[in-house]
Amino acid sequence: MEITKRGTVIKVEGTQPKTGEKAPHFTLNNLSDKKINLADYQGKVVLVSVVPNIDTSVCAIQTKHFNQEAGQLENVQLITISNNTKEEQADWCAGNGVEMEMLHDTDLEFAKAYGVYMPELGLLARSVFVIDQDGVLVYEEIVPEMSHEPDYTAALAATKALI
């Protein structure tokens, strides 16, 4: 798969999961160094927001938007994932007054399982995944232009349809 970064073609490595399939398993650490498994949220709707670099403006906008919207929904677990370090993520959260489940994928486990790694940039592709209460992927978007925001309306509609 390919996306663009301000018009330049960037290769995204791997195979992306398809809607209707069981969501690929992952285990990542959160900001408290607790291991978080996708299976921990069985029975809940999970909205996974993936950002290339939490310290950039579009990633900050995406993270804040989903935190404000999805963070208010009952029985929905919002997770933001990037391959920033724990320290970078913690500093961003503290500096922006945001408390949320933020996972760091420095070993690229999630990136490889979901096919969102861009080796040329060493970053994860901007993407959104919605997983139902049974662990099935019901929505996925890999944003075709890295500098653009995801389709919040579609992702939130898919999320709300499950609750």
Side-chain angles (χ1 to χ4, degrees):
M1 163 178 231
E2 294 176 338
I3 64 166
T4 57
K5 179 181 179 187
R6 295 186 178 86
T8 301
V9 175
I10 304 292
K11 183 162 178 46
V12 179
E13 190 175 83
T15 303
Q16 296 76 33
K18 301 197 179 350
T19 57
E21 296 178 348
K22 199 77 163 158
H25 174 77
F26 62 86
T27 301
L28 300 173
N29 286 342
N30 67 9
L31 297 181
S32 301
D33 285 327
K34 179 181 177 199
K35 289 198 178 302
I36 302 297
N37 299 291
L38 178 58
D40 293 341
Y41 300 114
Q42 186 77 15
K44 280 189 162 191
V45 175
V46 180
L47 189 153
V48 180
S49 172
V50 182
V51 295
N53 181 350
I54 195 62
D55 289 320
T56 61
S57 61
V58 178
C59 295
I61 291 166
Q62 176 179 336
T63 303
K64 289 176 186 177
H65 189 101
F66 278 128
N67 190 47
Q68 290 170 346
E69 295 281 332
Q72 308 306 313
L73 299 174
E74 282 291 315
N75 209 33
V76 173
Q77 177 62 52
L78 170 63
I79 298 171
T80 296
I81 298 175
S82 75
N83 63 334
N84 291 92
T85 66
K86 170 189 163 182
E87 293 74 22
E88 289 168 331
Q89 290 179 339
D91 288 348
W92 183 88
C93 286
N96 287 279
V98 173
E99 285 189 33
M100 64 185 313
E101 190 71 273
M102 189 164 298
L103 307 180
H104 42 283
D105 189 24
T106 49
D107 293 333
L108 304 176
E109 178 184 332
F110 178 88
K112 290 177 181 172
Y114 283 74
V116 295
Y117 183 59
M118 302 179 294
E120 182 178 335
L121 302 175
L123 299 170
L124 281 60
R126 184 178 317 286
S127 46
V128 181
F129 301 93
V130 177
I131 302 162
D132 74 9
Q133 296 91 329
D134 298 318
V136 175
L137 184 64
V138 297
Y139 176 87
E140 60 88 17
E141 176 191 14
I142 297 177
V143 180
E145 165 55 50
M146 192 172 158
S147 65
H148 292 176
E149 295 173 56
D151 186 341
Y152 301 115
T153 303
L156 290 165
T159 303
K160 290 175 183 176
L162 297 170
I163 54 176

